[in-house]
Every structure is written in structure tokens, then in C-alpha cells.
Amino acid sequence: FKSRDIERRSLDVDGLKRSFLEWLVYSVGKDARAATRRDWFHTVALAVRDRVVDRWMDTTRSYYHEDAKRVYYLSLEFLIGRLLTNSLSNLGIVDECRQALDRLGLSMEDVVDAEPDAALGNGGLGRLAACFLDSMASQGLPGYGYGIRYEFGLFEQRFENGWQVEYPEQWLQFGNPWEFARPEVLYPVQFYGRVEEFRDSVGERAYRWVDADRVLAMAYDTPVVGFGGETINTLRLWSARATRDFNFGHFNDGAYMKAVEQKILSENLSRVLYPNDATETGKELRLKQEYFFTSASLQDILRRYLQHHTTFENLPNKAAIQLNDTHPAIGIAELMRLLVDQHALRWDDAWEITRATFAYTNHTLLPEALEAWPVRMIERVLPRHMQIIYEINAKFLNRTKAKAAGDNARLSRLSLIDERGERRVRMGNLAFLGSHKVNGVSALHTDLMKQTVFADFHEEFPDRINNKTNGITPRRWLKQANPALSELITTRIGEGWISDLSQIAALREKADDVVFREEFRRAKRKNKKRLAAYIARQTGEEVLVDSIFDVQVKRMHEYKRQLLNVLHTIALYNEMRDNPTVSWVPVTKVFAGKAAPSYHMAKLIIKLINDVAKVVNHDPSVHDNLKVVLLPNYNVTAAEIIIPAADLSEQISTAGMEASGTGNMKLALNGALTIGTLDGANVEIREHVGADNIFIFGMTADEVNDLRASGGFNPREVIASNPSLKRALDMISTGAFSPDDRNRYHPIVQALTDGGDHFLVTADFADYCRAQDAAMQLYRDPEEWTRKAILNTANMGWFSSDRTVNEYAGEIWDVHPVKPSHDG
Ligand code: 26W
């Protein structure tokens, strides 16, 4: 027993190898001859998990013994991607594992590639949550992630005839070696029913929620390995389980099967992630998902708190709950319900505790993304919560200044209920009111929050809104994804940058070192070869490694303006055809991203990119100087291959519309130069990397605002005055890229012309082309390009999510690192 015990912890090559063989036989149930790559992945993951478990329990025990204040990050999305390389790297045993596999005749890459990508998120918001988990664990902060264990993650995207087609993402199909099922951690969550009023023991009016349907939330825990392996935190995801209680009426009716069917249906709650990024559909199942995981998480948080406390006044000193957008905002009403109805607190005390415990992060200002649930729906699904929301609203509106001033318009804007049309609950207002701090995710976005959606609330509560500019984890996005560059960096400045990215500033002086530049280019070239091979495998297209890799990877959305990039591509194609004797800088346009399945315009843009690629890539008159590729199924795993290989990073949203962006940070950290608008965090990236080392173009957020306020502009005039834009648009509209269906792109052309060009694509086109030309000219001078690329990497230290999380910890959560004791 003792020796096996040691075996499970051993971090050397021999110990790992013996563990692998043991796990393969006794847990996977195969011998080495019969094992598939997937069997080996499961084997290695289980052996690595062994190396984590003791430290995980130590960490949890230390938090418990110190009764440390914890932070709970409530998020409907965690876009974590693969975990094997991440765990090995944070444990510091990548090489040992590679050697152990080598001795077994296996390739580490093959084993790593057998892991499915955990895509429990749509895009930026979900990935941010995953970066925060890594940063909290890496800094010893007592942070828990709470979310849903979706059986199906974000859909798998394939292209069929150039169109996006969605397939279910069955990431759990072959089991998940990282998670621990906790069948004993089970909480009831109710829906529907009605509210009964009664008199409590002291004769006060009280309420209970009765005749409700019940579902159980069952916990699955995944260890979150911090860098260095000191702290191992927990990501707890809830899965819906049917209750065992039966409706006896059904038995008597002989409807046993019907009763069982109802139970089975209740498990649909955790079946699938909604694939909408920034469009709210108002579906009842979605509301139920939000309440399901929020209620289970709050019950769990209170249970943990009550291990050390008997009253609730200390809850805000022991728990900080961060709402990742409004998706868990119903938690404010739920905590009130738990405190008032179940624990008999007085309303005002409960409200004070609730507000001191919650904080809310806003991730978008797009009106179509702001959650507003119909009152009728909440009344039906969560009747007691609707009452509580009314009560919160009444008390708030009664004491606002607007009331005194008789400013009814302002009162109705502050109200939790939107009374225009069908009455709806504004979840953003609820989240704001129920939180002690509300933050935006970049300096510009936070300013715009104060000026737009939350202007009235900001006036009412001037200290509540604050900024926390997003960040990214340097472990996954530099160390793991870009071994070539990270090894080079470490040879020059040591490895302190991995846990303190500000140290990467030491590379600044290396920008003038001709030898370092050569090595930096060599690392980039290696990554570009890797991407070229990936492109060939995925699309069959051969691209020039020496071309500019011009990369736009993100969700497909009109505001992100992939169309602007496509129009430039077509204009460049025309120029190259018109001037075949000019020596062009070869360009490879790399696109990747998913469209929401119901977002027809975004899907049409995908088809357009594929159609343009087909024409351009097969036109011999451009001599391979231009290639266009749209990579399928963009996810964290694909990002790890694409981002380190990029030369140019496209961050070209209409100013004022991208809350922050985080892909912009990943690309710049990996030495890509940004071409972008002054939107989101691009503004701060420019400040850090220097205006000389970034290509900024286009209207500012203020200019966009003014233009729209003054009644917009006439895209027809802009188009008529720009021949290359006119020609590109004419080609699209006359079917040059869609000879099989010449009207296919009518909706796109329409939106850019008579539709008024809401996203100002035509308005920014000329300046975008100017910036693109400047980038192409600079690329002709490899030394100068590399110098700027190095300065990008060197100046991105501030954008570490360690810095972001520390700001949250100090200014919102008041949580502090805990050093786990590892001596039992
Ligand atoms: C279904 C409704 C809905 C509404 C909003 C789904 C998803 C959202 C998210 C807020 C969209 C999102 O991911 N926002 C992104 O958040 C990132 C992290 O803060 C920012 O970097 C991006 O700019 C922002 O678009």
C-alpha cells in the first residue's frame, strides 16, 4: 500500500511510466497492445490527476481551517479547452511525461490530441472565466468556479458546400477523466408552483413556495491546477438529476410511464449550452438553466458558510459572489429568498447582506444582448422570485431622488421593470441594484457604461461602477501555446515572467539586438509552419510561410466586421490582378469563428468568405500572392495553434461596440502587430505597446456616437467616391463569387447600402485600407517589423489575468492568498 502510495505521487520519468502501465491495465482495462490513442489519453490523464489530488485536498482543507474568505465566480460559461498540457505544465512535468511516453513508444502529441476540447462557452465571456480560474489558482486565491456541466458544449462547426452546419459537440462521450462525480452533493431546485402567505411564529407575514416541481442539482468537481502546483482550486459544475419522488396520482391513473417521462425530461436542464453570443432569445429553458445553477451554487455556498457560523451577518466577510454578466443575476432574488423565507431574516438585514456579497461584471452594451425576462414568464417559473423582485423595486423607487423631484421618466428608466410593451424584468438593473460593485471590462467600456445603459444608476450610485480591464493567462497563451517563443524568452530573461508577466518588459531592450530578432523570427516561422500544416490538413489549401499571416479569429458578428476584412481582401485581389508585374507582399488571410445557428447574416458572411476563398485561391493571375482560408470549428485548441503564428491581428470592430476583446491581447502577446480601431481594450493596448507599434484606423467611439446622433450617413455617397470599394461591392452583388446564385449576397449588399450600414463598414473602409497598406509596407522590412513585434510582446505584461484578478481581489472581493499546508 505504502509503495503504491508513493507511486501515485512520483513525478519522475520512471514513476510516471509505471503509473501509466498500471492505470492502463487496472482502470482503462486494456493492455499496451490493444490500447488506442484515446485509451492512452485517459491513462495519462488519470495518472496526472493522481499527482493533483493530495494537493487539492490540502488546499481545500487549508481554506476550511482558516475559514478563509472565498470568492465564488458564477458563470454560465467556462471555455476551458483541453487540460492535459495545462495540468502537466502547471505541475512542471511536461518533459518527464514526454520521456515516459517515449519509453513506451508513444508520442506525446498523439496523446494530447486525443483529448476533447471542453467548449462550455461561446466566446470571450466564457474564456475570461477560464483564464480567471487559472490566475486565481496560480496566485493562491481561494476561488471557486460554479457553472453547468453541459452534456453538449458549443456545437461543432463544419462547412458543407461553404455553409456552416452545426453538429452536437459530444465531449463527454468517452468519459471525462478530470472530473469527480459527487453524488452526495445534491441540492433540490424548484420551478413553477405558487406562493402561500402565512403568519410566522411572531405573527409576521411570511411566504412559502408550494406545489413546485423539483429537480436535483448534482455536483461534478474538476481540480484547477495553479502554476507550480501549490494551490489546486475547484471548478464545481452542476448536472440535473431527476428526483425520486413520484406523483402518486399518476400511479393510480395507471400512468406510471408518464410520471417517469416527466422525471427524464427534467434532466434536459443541463443538456446543452445555448449557442448565442450576444443575442438574447428569451427561452424558458434558458431562464431555468440560469436559476438551476445559481440556486444550487448559493445553497452550496451557504452550506459551506454555516460550517463555521450560526448567523448570517458575517456572510459578506466570508463570501464574495461575482456575477459573470447578468446570467446568474436571479441569484440576488434567490439569496433574498433563502435568507428571508428559509432562514427567517428581516428583509432589510437580508438586503444589506445580499448587496455586500454580490458584485456584477457587465460584458456588453449591445441592446440585443441585455437580458430582460417577461414578467409573465418569471411569475410562472419562479413565482416567489417575482414577488421579491417587485419588493426590491418598490423599496428602491420609493427612496430614490427622482421620486422627490417628480422625474417620472427617470424613475421608469431606473425601474427593474420595463413597462414599454410586454412587461419585462431588466436583469442588468437587478444586478446593479443588488451588488456593491459593478464593473466594465476595459476603460472605454466602463466609461460608456456610465454614459449609456447605466447613466441613471451611475448618478444614483456614483461609487458603484469601476473598471477592471480584462487579461489573459500567460500560462496557456504563451508558455503552453507557444513553446518556441517562451523557451527563447526564458533563455534571455529567466522564467519569472510565467508567474509575473510584468517581467516580460525586460525584453524591450532586446528589440534592438539583431541576434535576438533573428531568433524571434525563427520562433514565429516555426509557429507559421505548424499553422500552415494545420491549414493544409483542415482545408487542403497550401499557403506560403513567408506571406503575412493576417488573422481574424473570433465569433462571427456584424459588429466585429469580418465584412470589412473581406472587402479589403477583394480590393487587394483586384489590385494584384490589375498590376501583375508589381512585386507584392504575399498575404494569407486567415479567418475562423462560429456563427450563432439562428444568426442568418453571420452565416451568410461565412459563406461569402468561403466563396471568395474559392475564387481567389484558384486564380493563377495572383501567383499565390493572396490566399484566403476560413478554418472550421474555431475553439480553444485551434486558437492555440493559430495565435502563435499570426503576424497581423485584426481587431476591427465598430468603435464603442467591443466591450474589451481578449483575443487582441493573446495575439499581441505572441508578437502579432494589431490593426484595429480605438475600441475596447485596443485603446489600452495602444497605450502599452506604443502608438508606433500598432496600426490604428477608423472612427472613434465619440465620432460614431456623433454620426449616429446626427442621423447617420449615406453609404451610397461613400461608395460612389471610392472606386475600389465600389468595385468590390459590385463584384459581390453581381455574383462574381457566387456564379451559381447571383443574388446570394443581396442581403449583405443591402445592409451596407440602403440598409444604412449600421456598423459603418463603408465609412471606415478607406482608412482601413490605408492602415493595411502601411502594414504591408512595413512587412517588407523584416528587421523593423520584428522590432515592433518584440515590443508588442515585451509591452503586454500588464494584460496578464493575474493583474486583473488581483485588482478584483483588492478592490471588489477583499480576498487574500492562502498558503496551503501540504504536511497532512
Ligand atoms: C444569450 C445572451 C448573451 C448575452 C451576452 C450571451 C453572451 C453574452 C456575452 C456578454 C457576450 C460576450 O462574450 N461578451 C464578451 O466578453 C468578453 C469578456 O469580457 C469581452 O472581451 C468581449 O469584448 C465581449 O464581447
Side-chain angles (χ1 to χ4, degrees):
F1 182 80
K2 194 92 194 176
S3 73
R4 279 188 54 150
D5 213 39
I6 291 162
E7 197 90 306
R8 284 180 179 240
R9 294 191 174 104
S10 158
L11 298 176
D12 63 33
V13 178
D14 258 353
L16 282 168
K17 185 185 151 201
R18 280 199 301 273
S19 269
F20 293 166
L21 288 170
E22 185 161 317
W23 268 110
L24 182 67
V25 174
Y26 295 104
S27 284
V28 177
K30 290 268 185 98
D31 67 21
R33 260 188 310 174
T36 63
R37 287 186 352 178
R38 190 182 303 116
D39 294 328
W40 280 113
F41 159 67
H42 279 266
T43 298
V44 174
L46 290 169
V48 171
R49 197 179 77 168
D50 279 350
R51 272 76 186 161
V52 163
V53 171
D54 293 299
R55 283 160 176 268
W56 188 19
M57 294 193 300
D58 291 346
T59 304
T60 308
R61 206 179 300 117
S62 297
Y63 295 164
Y64 175 84
H65 283 309
E66 292 194 21
D67 188 23
K69 180 168 182 181
R70 276 91 151 180
V71 53
Y72 299 108
Y73 201 80
L74 265 58
S75 180
L76 211 44
E77 307 190 5
F78 286 93
L79 238 187
I80 40 203
R82 289 176 174 166
L83 283 177
L84 181 52
T85 306
N86 185 251
S87 310
L88 291 170
S89 174
N90 281 1
L91 289 172
I93 54 168
V94 175
D95 288 340
E96 288 78 357
C97 182
R98 184 186 299 279
Q99 287 174 42
L101 289 172
D102 219 47
R103 290 190 196 173
L104 293 164
L106 296 159
S107 119
M108 173 99 146
E109 279 64 38
D110 286 350
V111 173
V112 162
D113 270 339
E115 178 172 5
D117 177 289
L120 308 186
N122 273 288
L125 162 142
R127 183 55 230 178
L128 186 75
C131 282
F132 282 8
L133 290 182
D134 180 84
S135 281
M136 290 190 290
S138 294
Q139 300 189 100
L141 287 169
Y144 291 70
Y146 274 113
I148 294 180
R149 180 180 177 273
Y150 299 107
E151 186 177 332
F152 301 106
L154 186 61
F155 65 86
E156 182 193 328
Q157 177 195 55
R158 295 190 206 160
F159 300 135
E160 293 179 7
N161 201 8
W163 295 98
Q164 168 175 296
V165 179
E166 302 90 22
Y167 288 83
E169 173 56 79
Q170 306 200 47
W171 72 298
L172 292 173
Q173 197 175 14
F174 301 101
N176 174 3
W178 301 114
E179 70 186 8
F180 289 83
R182 306 288 191 205
E184 77 286 3
V185 183
L186 213 54
Y187 296 99
V189 178
Q190 307 200 103
F191 298 98
Y192 311 112
R194 62 196 170 80
V195 177
E196 236 174 42
E197 191 184 310
F198 66 102
R199 295 278 158 181
D200 68 12
S201 51
V202 291
E204 297 265 5
R205 227 187 277 279
Y207 300 90
R208 61 178 154 243
W209 184 6
V210 298
D211 293 344
D213 287 359
R214 269 182 172 218
V215 184
L216 297 174
M218 176 183 149
Y220 283 81
D221 289 346
T222 300
V224 179
V225 182
F227 182 67
E230 271 297 299
T231 292
I232 317 281
N233 281 338
T234 302
L235 170 61
R236 176 160 280 185
L237 300 178
W238 301 105
S239 181
R241 289 296 124 99
T243 56
R244 289 201 44 190
D245 39 289
F246 281 89
N247 182 337
F248 284 95
H250 284 157
F251 283 125
N252 295 340
D253 297 347
Y256 167 76
M257 287 308 289
K258 205 171 144 198
V260 175
E261 257 170 48
Q262 281 304 312
K263 300 292 157 204
I264 292 171
L265 285 180
S266 69
E267 300 191 345
N268 284 341
L269 266 179
S270 54
R271 202 72 70 198
V272 59
L273 167 75
Y274 274 86
N276 304 325
D277 190 76
T279 39
E280 184 46 58
T281 52
K283 290 276 188 295
E284 181 171 311
L285 181 63
R286 164 78 173 201
L287 172 65
K288 291 174 73 177
Q289 285 186 336
E290 295 184 350
Y291 177 65
F292 166 74
F293 100 96
T294 304
S295 172
S297 306
L298 287 174
Q299 292 181 64
D300 201 37
I301 291 165
L302 292 189
R303 184 221 16 107
R304 191 172 295 118
Y305 172 82
L306 290 171
Q307 291 174 334
H308 287 277
H309 303 266
T310 51
T311 62
F312 286 94
E313 74 261 19
N314 266 314
L315 185 66
N317 303 321
K318 293 296 167 184
I321 303 178
Q322 190 66 35
L323 301 173
N324 199 20
D325 216 276
T326 57
H327 314 153
I330 191 69
I332 288 162
E334 172 70 354
L335 184 58
M336 287 300 289
R337 184 185 72 85
L338 293 170
L339 295 178
V340 172
D341 293 1
Q342 299 208 336
H343 296 281
L345 268 72
R346 298 206 326 257
W347 178 279
D348 291 346
D349 295 337
W351 181 244
E352 200 178 311
I353 290 167
T354 296
R355 245 183 25 76
T357 303
F358 280 105
Y360 154 54
T361 306
N362 173 278
H363 293 270
T364 180
L365 303 173
L366 300 185
E368 67 270 30
L370 300 180
E371 290 190 294
W373 294 105
V375 166
R376 294 281 301 276
M377 190 188 290
I378 300 197
E379 256 168 4
R380 197 160 35 79
V381 180
L382 303 169
R384 177 63 181 133
H385 297 77
M386 195 60 240
Q387 285 186 336
I388 291 171
I389 290 167
Y390 279 138
E391 183 77 21
I392 295 171
N393 200 33
K395 286 188 189 306
F396 166 58
L397 293 180
N398 268 327
R399 49 166 207 268
T400 55
K401 298 174 203 146
K403 182 94 184 170
D407 186 346
N408 285 330
R410 184 150 185 276
L411 268 183
S412 70
R413 290 195 303 268
L414 284 168
S415 175
L416 299 189
I417 312 294
D418 184 348
E419 310 269 357
R420 304 162 304 175
E422 186 185 12
R423 298 176 72 233
R424 287 169 184 268
V425 178
R426 294 164 166 151
M427 301 307 278
N429 291 17
L430 175 62
F432 195 110
L433 207 54
S435 297
H436 65 291
K437 283 281 174 347
V438 175
N439 75 282
V441 290
S442 74
L444 174 66
H445 168 236
T446 301
D447 278 348
L448 293 173
M449 276 172 75
K450 294 178 183 171
Q451 290 167 33
T452 61
V453 263
F454 294 119
D456 296 298
F457 277 96
H458 178 53
E459 240 187 317
E460 204 71 29
F461 307 99
D463 300 327
R464 202 165 291 184
I465 300 185
N466 67 101
N467 178 241
K468 294 287 167 279
T469 299
N470 284 165
I472 56 170
T473 168
R475 269 77 61 186
R476 184 177 289 265
W477 296 111
L478 187 51
K479 183 174 189 281
Q480 292 153 41
N482 196 344
L485 181 57
S486 49
E487 280 155 29
L488 171 63
I489 293 169
T490 297
T491 61
R492 297 304 165 97
I493 67 169
E495 53 183 22
W497 61 272
I498 301 168
S499 49
D500 172 12
L501 196 61
S502 70
Q503 291 183 27
I504 208 165
L507 284 183
R508 276 176 203 152
E509 57 180 60
K510 303 279 188 290
D512 295 318
D513 174 342
V514 62
V515 177
F516 185 78
R517 285 203 299 264
E518 180 57 38
E519 288 179 307
F520 193 92
R521 260 196 307 276
R522 201 177 301 151
K524 181 62 80 178
R525 201 181 151 78
K526 190 171 176 188
N527 296 329
K528 289 175 76 171
K529 278 189 166 164
R530 182 173 70 164
L531 177 56
Y534 182 80
I535 290 171
R537 232 179 309 133
Q538 296 285 329
T539 70
E541 216 50 71
E542 302 286 338
V543 302
L544 283 179
V545 175
D546 291 315
S547 62
I548 303 185
F549 279 18
D550 177 347
V551 171
Q552 187 170 22
V553 287
K554 50 185 81 250
R555 286 296 288 255
M556 290 286 167
H557 209 295
E558 287 164 283
Y559 86 81
K560 294 178 188 281
R561 297 201 296 192
Q562 281 90 357
L563 268 180
L564 181 55
N565 194 349
V566 173
L567 286 170
H568 170 259
T569 305
I570 297 170
L572 185 59
Y573 170 61
N574 289 333
E575 263 192 79
M576 285 179 174
R577 285 192 302 162
D578 292 350
N579 305 284
T581 57
V582 170
S583 100
W584 291 97
V585 180
V587 174
T588 301
K589 291 272 190 179
V590 180
F591 293 87
K594 295 175 183 178
S598 61
Y599 190 172
H600 298 292
M601 188 59 99
K603 290 174 117 172
L604 193 57
I605 294 168
I606 284 177
K607 175 64 173 163
L608 175 61
I609 298 171
N610 278 323
D611 273 351
V612 169
K614 201 156 66 181
V615 171
V616 169
N617 297 349
H618 300 120
D619 187 338
S621 69
V622 295
H623 302 293
D624 286 352
N625 282 326
L626 184 60
K627 292 280 172 189
V628 179
V629 294
L630 173 47
L631 289 165
N633 202 40
Y634 184 59
N635 58 14
V636 171
T637 302
E640 289 168 3
I641 298 167
I642 298 168
I643 288 171
D647 294 307
L648 193 61
S649 159
E650 298 274 350
Q651 307 301 336
I652 60 178
S653 51
T654 315
M657 303 197 78
E658 188 71 270
S660 164
T662 46
N664 48 1
M665 300 169 189
K666 293 161 198 167
L667 283 151
L669 180 62
N670 280 277
L673 304 201
T674 302
I675 181 166
T677 48
L678 284 176
D679 198 16
N682 296 352
V683 176
E684 290 152 271
I685 291 176
R686 179 179 67 159
E687 283 162 16
H688 281 83
V689 305
D692 291 345
N693 304 313
I694 187 168
F695 301 98
I696 295 292
F697 72 93
M699 300 174 75
T700 63
D702 283 339
E703 288 166 355
V704 168
N705 192 30
D706 293 348
L707 181 68
R708 287 192 178 148
S710 72
F713 76 116
N714 185 353
R716 291 270 186 210
E717 282 168 22
V718 178
I719 295 162
S721 69
N722 187 322
S724 93
L725 174 58
K726 176 162 194 323
R727 184 169 165 202
L729 270 172
D730 284 346
M731 286 171 74
I732 295 174
S733 73
T734 58
F737 304 104
S738 55
D740 52 326
D741 178 3
R742 295 192 176 270
N743 292 324
R744 177 175 298 144
Y745 297 111
H746 180 75
I748 288 178
V749 175
Q750 172 72 19
L752 294 179
T753 54
D754 300 332
D757 187 12
H758 182 66
F759 300 97
L760 306 176
V761 172
T762 62
D764 274 345
F765 180 79
D767 203 31
Y768 178 58
C769 291
R770 178 204 48 79
Q772 279 283 359
D773 285 342
M776 277 185 278
Q777 287 321 310
L778 182 70
Y779 201 75
R780 289 179 189 278
D781 183 348
E783 294 301 333
E784 197 50 17
W785 181 281
T786 309
R787 203 179 63 79
K788 289 179 193 288
I790 294 168
L791 287 175
N792 268 268
T793 299
N795 287 319
M796 286 299 290
W798 188 75
F799 295 93
S800 168
S801 47
D802 296 346
R803 187 270 312 155
T804 311
V805 154
N806 277 329
E807 287 183 7
Y808 277 90
E811 296 161 29
I812 299 179
W813 302 334
D814 192 29
V815 297
H816 304 276
V818 170
K819 207 176 156 45
S821 144
H822 294 300
D823 28 63

